[in-house]
């Protein structure tokens, strides 16, 4: 391609001082056009330059051709919360007007010049990209051409921001693994576009990148991949599920990792993965497998969890280990299937009818997804009960930076399982007796060769010997033991993470992925002279440190992504003496929190108002 | 005492296969089936520890509490025993499983799970104790009740029945039999063969509910069953260790089915041209029986070509539930190697 004149000249004049490694990019494309490859190539290029980065898929619930966005946050400070983008790649004709309208003054718009669009804001910098022209001489045909079209923006943005071409190439190599021809065809488009931009575009905006060494040794992974990997190292051997966004990629990852990592010496699988006919069957298989002694899990989301209620009540009451990964999306009902939320907390904590209380884990990072991935099975076996891991769409489906996972040092904890010999040594085996005073009974597994080991599982009333009983006193005793077991759980679950700031009077409580916006807001508030303490819960039931934190503060704000302040209500119920000082704010538009919103909530709260 | 109990090959007496006394109504068909299960497991010398008992919800589903007291069991949720059983048997594929369900449990709330259990060919003996009513909830029509039936409590039935055996055959089950709780010998021989089958064996057993559906004109009553049973074959089970002796062996009228574990089932044909390996013929025979008011019993369909779920899964000899920890958790190098790809 020959030298070209820029198709339209950038509108805004003199470049202000450079803004280095601190901005947010939104890429607007159409679903199913291979945009994800381009997005990840750009994301990974920043990562390979050593710059902290995080990408979020912002996608509506549709299959192909409709709008989809990818937000990349580049932050030399390491912040990864969502932030309104200053840079836009507008490649989707149907949303370009809205997308452009969302930019702040001084923002940058790289757009596809083939789209019928005339720049209409004088306060932005525009860079048109002649996509068709750039692809003219590219040696790919038909549909593949559509797929590589997005690489044009990668080349242009790389030039504008200052990403070296060889870094982009290495990112593509990473993405395509050994498939050299794909690397070559995609890189061809990137370098042509890059060259074109260098020759034809005059850079006038302040945004650029410079190499750092802040990502040295880190990995980039999605939460669902990390959780699945944790489960593999936790010895999961039966997985049963029914597809549902945003949990499907959890099982996809499991089905990718298991064959690589889990074979016996004869090369046979030490696992099974079953696609069930629905969530009722999925959890049924998990409970059956847990009863028979395997480590079993399912992954689902709100609507699926609703269907699992009856079985989870049974597993709680019959005391069968089971692990459920609930990758939360927006409910109630089908809700916003591709948006993120923390709306399942209250439901999950008590799922089942009657007096039911479960153990919940709240991972907030890929490291915790991995760690809770194996710990969930240890906990389920130790406590003989379901353990629900409440992740969310944001964590599960997006790529996050993290430290390489620490190998689990402690051996698998299989809990109180009696062997045939141990049963034989006992005078009587009493399945539901509280021998140790911690509420956790002993169990035997089917196949145990002692004729005295058998017990009959059921959801109906039973005595210490697992015999059917409708005796009210027996029932009462059993339910109190289960409550005692829930108390015991407090000592086994991950403790809350507390970050205190000198002089802080307000305590902010959160869990899961909201931490990122809250931590960023804490720093921003500190610059304004407002100090806050932050406590991040990592499990329910919570340990003594949570009560300690609540007791220490006169004023507490619980920030979560649901309307009804679900965790706030749980805290109020469990710490009634502190109820009055626990205030809640909820965020519910399906997008991850921003630090700016958190800041406003905190300041508003301190000034006696909330917006 | 003076009456010495005979011991079987694993050194157990029949009493070792008993359990808590039944709390079901006296005369309920489910009780006689439970007794046949006790008898069969004793005769086959199964070790109770190698057997699991599974059920859903209903009077029928209570019955596993009344046989094999030395076996682990699980009385699960209404209609959901198939999934629980699938999980349990994937966790430990070396166990023998006896599942007991009702016609409501299987034919209504559990129809979906039942069809998928068949589809996956989980190795299990699946007994439907079919009485045409909901016993436990006191007498509502179940999905297998006959069209136009009138019952004192439930009123008039406006809908045609679901035939559990037809559903099993259509879904691809390899062992489908129908029997009648009043025909103890046939129930026994079918149970034995079913326990030797490589995949899912479905036994639809008409099991009269004496409390709510035992009127003489009901197609699920003792009287009707006795009067209208049409057995397709006379069945004989020959254990692997026994010489095969087929009385009056007459080629052409007696077929021998070789079962997976080396045992055999002899079928002395009572309907000369009935071949239990023809799916369409089986369906046709069942429909004709339904139209003519016959209770067609015996081995309706047999085909052992399809591997069980455990076989498809490719497990080794050790069940997943008994694998040592070092096979469950990969080594440090494996983790590091995998993470390198994400750097
Ligand atoms: C989810 C659910 N719905 C309803 C019930 C109530 N229920 C208990 S037993 C039963 C009917 C069982 O009938 P069937 O399977 O025909 O067995 P039978 O009692 O006749 O042996 C019903 C509806 C239940 N336990 N669970
Ligand atoms: S109610 Fe019917 S099904 Fe239930 S135990 Fe009595 S006779 Fe049997």
């Amino acid at each position: 391609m020959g030298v070209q004149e820029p198709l339209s000249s950038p509108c805004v004049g003199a470049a202000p001082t450079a803004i280095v490694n601190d901005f947010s990019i939104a890429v607007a494309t159409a679903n199913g056009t291979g945009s994800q490859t381009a997005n990840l190539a750009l994301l990974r290029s920043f990562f390979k330059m050593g710059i902290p980065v995080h990408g979020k898929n912002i996608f509506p619930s549709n299959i192909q051709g409709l709008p989809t966005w990818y937000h990349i946050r580049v932050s030399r400070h390491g912040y990864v919360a969502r932030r309104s983008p200053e840079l836009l790649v507008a490649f989707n004709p149907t949303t370009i007007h809205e997308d452009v309208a969302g930019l702040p003054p001084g923002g940058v718009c790289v757009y596809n010049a083939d789209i019928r669009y005339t720049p209409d804001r004088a306060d932005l910098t525009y860079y048109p990209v002649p996509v068709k022209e750039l692809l003219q001489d590219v040696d790919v045909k038909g549909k593949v051409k559509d797929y590589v079209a997005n690489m044009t923006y990668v080349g242009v943005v790389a030039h504008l921001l200052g990403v070296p071409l060889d870094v982009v190439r290495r990112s593509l190599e990473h993405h395509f693994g050994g498939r050299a021809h794909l690397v070559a065809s995609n890189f061809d488009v990137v370098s042509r576009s890059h060259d074109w931009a260098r020759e034809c575009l005059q850079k006038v905006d302040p945004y650029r990148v410079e190499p750092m060494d802040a990502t040295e040794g880190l990995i980039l992974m999605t939460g669902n991949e990390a959780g699945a990997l944790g489960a593999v190292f936790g010895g999961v051997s039966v997985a049963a599920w029914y597809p549902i966004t945003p949990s499907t990629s959890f099982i996809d990852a499991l089905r990718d990792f298991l064959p690589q990592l889990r074979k016996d010496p004869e090369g046979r699988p030490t696992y099974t993965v079953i696609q069930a006919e629905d969530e009722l069957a999925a959890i049924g298989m998990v409970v059956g497998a847990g009863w028979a002694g395997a480590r079993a899990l399912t992954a689902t989301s709100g609507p699926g969890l609703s269907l699992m209620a009856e079985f989870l009540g049974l597993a709680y009451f019959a005391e069968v280990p089971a692990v459920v990964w609930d990758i939360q999306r927006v409910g109630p009902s089908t809700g916003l299937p591709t948006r993120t939320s923390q709306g399942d907390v209250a439901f999950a904590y008590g799922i089942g009818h009657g007096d039911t209380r479960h153990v919940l884990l709240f991972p907030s990072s890929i490291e915790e997804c991995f760690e809770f991935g194996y710990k969930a099975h240890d906990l389920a076996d130790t406590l003989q009960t379901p353990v629900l891991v409440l992740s969310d769409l944001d964590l599960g489906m997006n790529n996050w930076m993290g430290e390489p996972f620490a190998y689990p040092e402690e051996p698998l904890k299989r809990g109180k399982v009696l062997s045939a010999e141990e049963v034989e040594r006992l005078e009587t085996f009493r399945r539901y007796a509280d021998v140790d005073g911690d509420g956790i009974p002993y169990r035997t597994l089917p196949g145990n060769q002692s004729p005295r080991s058998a017990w009959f599982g059921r959801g109906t009333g039973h005595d210490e010997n697992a015999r059917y009983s409708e005796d009210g006193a027996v029932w009462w005793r059993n339910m109190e033991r289960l409550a005692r077991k829930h108390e015991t759980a407090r000592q086994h679950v991950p403790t809350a993470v507390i970050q205190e700031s000198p002089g802080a009077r307000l305590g902010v409580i959160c869990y899961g992925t909201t931490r990122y916006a809250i931590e960023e807001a804490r720093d921003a508030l500190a610059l304004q002279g407002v100090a806050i303490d932050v406590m991040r819960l990592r499990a329910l039931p919570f340990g003594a440190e949570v009560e300690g934190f609540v007791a220490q503060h006169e004023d507490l704000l619980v920030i979560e992504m649901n309307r009804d302040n679900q965790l706030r209500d749980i805290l109020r119920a469990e710490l009634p003496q502190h109820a009055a000082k626990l205030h809640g704010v909820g965020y519910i538009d399906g997008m991850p929190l921003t630090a700016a919103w958190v800041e406003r909530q905190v300041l508003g709260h301190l000034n006696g108002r909330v917006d | 005492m003076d009456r010495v109990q005979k011991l079987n090959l694993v050194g157990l007496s029949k009493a070792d296969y008993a359990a808590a006394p039944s709390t079901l109504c006296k005369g309920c068909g489910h009780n006689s089936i439970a007794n046949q299960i006790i008898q069969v497991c004793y005769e086959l010398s199964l070790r109770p520890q190698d057997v699991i008992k599974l059920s859903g919800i209903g009077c029928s589903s209570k019955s596993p509490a009344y046989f094999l007291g030395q076996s682990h069991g699980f009385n699960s949720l209404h209609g959901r025993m198939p999934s629980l059983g699938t999980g349990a048997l994937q966790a430990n594929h070396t166990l023998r499983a006896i599942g007991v369900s009702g016609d409501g449990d299987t034919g209504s709330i559990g129809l979906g799970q039942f069809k998928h259990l068949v589809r996956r060919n989980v190795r299990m003996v699946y007994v439907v104790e079919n009485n045409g009513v909901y016993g436990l909830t006191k007498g509502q029509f179940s999905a297998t009740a006959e069209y136009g039936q009138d019952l004192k409590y439930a009123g008039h039935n406006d809908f045609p029945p679901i035939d559990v055996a037809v559903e099993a055959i259509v879904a691809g089950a390899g062992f489908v039999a129908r029997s009648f709780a009043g025909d103890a010998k046939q129930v026994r021989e079918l149970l034995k063969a079913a326990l030797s089958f490589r995949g899912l064996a479905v036994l639809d057993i008409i099991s009269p509910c004496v409390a709510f559906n035992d009127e003489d004109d009901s197609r699920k009553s003792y009287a009707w069953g006795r009067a209208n049973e049409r057995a397709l074959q006379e069945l004989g089970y020959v254990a692997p260790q026994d010489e095969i002796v087929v009385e009056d062996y007459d080629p052409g009228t007696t077929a021998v089915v070789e079962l997976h574990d080396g045992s055999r089932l002899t079928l002395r044909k009572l309907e000369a041209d009935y071949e239990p390996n023809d799916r369409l013929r089986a369906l046709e025979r069942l429909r004709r029986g339904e139209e003519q008011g016959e209770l067609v019993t015996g081995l309706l369909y047999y085909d052992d070509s399809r591997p069980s779920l455990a076989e498809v899964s490719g497990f080794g000899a050790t069940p997943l539930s008994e694998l040592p920890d070092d096979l469950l958790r990969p080594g440090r190098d494996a983790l590091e190697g995998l993470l390198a790809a994400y750097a």
Side-chain angles (χ1 to χ4, degrees), chain A residues 293-295 381-382 412-417 443, chain B residues 321 325 328:
Chain A
R295 295 199 141 184
D381 275 359
T382 300
L412 305 182
K413 295 184 187 149
R414 303 310 300 259
K416 300 181 186 178
V417 179
R443 66 175 177 142
Chain B
S321 61
D325 290 1
L328 293 178

Side-chain angles (χ1 to χ4, degrees), chain A residues 119-182:
Chain A
D120 54 0
R121 275 181 62 179
D123 59 345
L124 301 181
T125 303
Y126 283 101
Y127 299 110
V129 183
V131 175
K132 262 204 201 107
E133 216 175 298
L134 286 168
L135 292 176
Q136 226 161 43
D137 303 327
V138 172
D139 189 23
V140 290
K141 302 248 146 28
K143 210 161 169 54
V144 186
K145 211 157 205 166
D146 294 344
Y147 282 126
V148 294
N150 290 304
M151 286 295 157
T152 54
Y153 85 68
V154 177
V156 171
V157 171
H159 165 68
L160 290 171
L161 295 175
V163 180
L165 270 183
D166 73 297
V167 174
V168 183
R169 177 184 259 285
R170 280 193 285 127
S171 296
L172 288 171
E173 279 162 1
H174 184 111
H175 187 83
F176 289 114
R179 291 166 295 173
H181 63 290
L182 290 177

Side-chain angles (χ1 to χ4, degrees), chain B residues 24-25 28-30 59 131 135-136 208-212:
Chain B
L24 303 180
C25 305
C28 173
H30 305 351
C59 297
N131 55 20
L136 198 66
C209 170
V210 294
F212 300 108

Side-chain angles (χ1 to χ4, degrees), chain B residues 170-342:
Chain B
V170 168
F175 186 116
V176 183
R178 173 161 287 154
S179 192
F180 171 50
D183 186 347
K185 171 156 192 309
Q186 191 193 46
V187 169
R188 272 201 305 276
E189 301 309 300
L190 284 170
L191 275 171
K192 287 180 192 164
L195 279 160
S196 295
F197 187 63
R198 79 188 288 195
L200 183 74
V202 178
L203 302 188
D204 178 27
I205 306 181
I206 303 306
S207 175
C209 170
V210 294
F212 300 108
N213 195 12
D214 197 30
E215 318 300 320
D216 288 357
D217 60 347
S218 159
R219 288 193 178 193
K220 302 289 192 293
S221 69
Y222 280 117
W224 187 83
R226 280 198 196 98
N228 297 291
E229 181 179 1
R230 300 282 179 278
L232 296 169
Q233 316 95 353
E234 206 168 276
L235 300 156
Y237 175 86
V238 188
Q241 62 273 11
D242 297 347
E243 265 299 289
I244 171 160
V245 195
V246 182
E247 282 160 37
D248 305 330
Y249 184 80
D250 178 359
T253 62
T254 301
V256 180
V257 170
E258 310 260 350
L259 292 153
H260 218 56
D261 59 359
S263 58
R264 296 158 198 221
L265 183 65
T266 63
L267 312 165
R268 199 166 72 79
K269 291 182 183 176
L270 299 175
E271 275 185 22
D273 61 344
Y274 193 80
E275 297 292 347
N277 56 9
D278 183 333
R279 191 186 288 227
L280 290 178
R281 283 277 292 284
L283 294 173
E284 197 274 328
R285 182 67 188 90
L286 283 169
R287 202 199 53 188
R288 192 148 46 84
E290 173 73 24
E291 279 168 10
Q292 296 176 355
E294 295 171 341
L295 173 57
V296 178
T297 66
L299 185 62
L300 303 171
Y301 183 67
Y302 184 88
D303 168 18
D304 77 345
S305 60
R306 205 153 64 89
S308 68
L309 176 63
E311 289 171 292
V312 171
S313 306
F315 298 141
T318 311
L320 298 179
S321 61
E322 290 173 16
L323 289 172
D325 290 1
D326 62 335
L327 285 184
L328 293 178
R329 172 171 289 168
R332 199 179 292 271
D333 293 351
L335 179 61
E336 282 164 12
L338 198 122
L339 291 179
Y342 288 84

Side-chain angles (χ1 to χ4, degrees), chain A residues 310, chain B residues 30 57-60 78 102-105 109 131 133-137:
Chain A
E310 194 186 19
Chain B
H30 305 351
I57 294 292
C59 297
S60 37
H78 201 16
D103 42 301
D105 199 60
I109 192 168
N131 55 20
V133 284
Y134 289 179
L136 198 66
T137 51

Side-chain angles (χ1 to χ4, degrees), chain A residues 73-269:
Chain A
R73 171 108 190 243
V74 174
S75 165
R76 63 169 183 273
H77 310 288
Y79 294 128
V80 293
R82 183 171 68 89
R83 188 169 88 174
S84 304
E86 296 90 357
L87 284 76
L88 168 71
V89 175
F91 266 41
N92 190 331
T94 54
T95 61
I96 189 163
H97 289 282
E98 282 164 63
D99 292 337
V100 169
L103 284 172
V108 176
C109 174
V110 175
Y111 69 99
N112 182 344
D114 304 331
I115 294 176
R116 214 195 298 262
Y117 171 73
T118 319
D120 54 0
R121 275 181 62 179
D123 59 345
L124 301 181
T125 303
Y126 283 101
Y127 299 110
V129 183
V131 175
K132 262 204 201 107
E133 216 175 298
L134 286 168
L135 292 176
Q136 226 161 43
D137 303 327
V138 172
D139 189 23
V140 290
K141 302 248 146 28
K143 210 161 169 54
V144 186
K145 211 157 205 166
D146 294 344
Y147 282 126
V148 294
N150 290 304
M151 286 295 157
T152 54
Y153 85 68
V154 177
V156 171
V157 171
H159 165 68
L160 290 171
L161 295 175
V163 180
L165 270 183
D166 73 297
V167 174
V168 183
R169 177 184 259 285
R170 280 193 285 127
S171 296
L172 288 171
E173 279 162 1
H174 184 111
H175 187 83
F176 289 114
R179 291 166 295 173
H181 63 290
L182 290 177
V183 176
S185 57
N186 282 278
F187 186 69
D188 181 33
V189 178
V190 173
S191 61
R192 281 164 191 264
S193 313
H194 183 271
D195 293 351
W196 170 84
R198 197 182 53 217
E199 287 162 25
C200 306
L201 294 181
Q202 193 196 339
K203 163 104 175 159
V204 287
D205 69 90
Y207 299 101
R208 56 189 178 77
V209 290
E210 267 173 21
M212 289 173 68
D213 60 359
T215 66
E216 184 67 39
L218 298 186
I219 57 169
L220 258 190
M221 197 186 259
T222 67
N224 280 350
E225 289 171 308
L229 195 60
V232 171
F233 281 82
V236 67
S237 51
V238 177
W241 99 111
Y242 189 73
I244 184 169
T245 303
S247 75
T248 302
S249 62
F250 187 100
I251 301 289
D252 289 345
L254 204 59
R255 295 206 302 174
D256 179 22
F257 296 141
L258 280 168
Q260 297 181 50
L261 298 171
R262 288 272 302 274
K263 294 236 159 80
D264 74 7
E266 276 97 58
R268 292 179 175 276

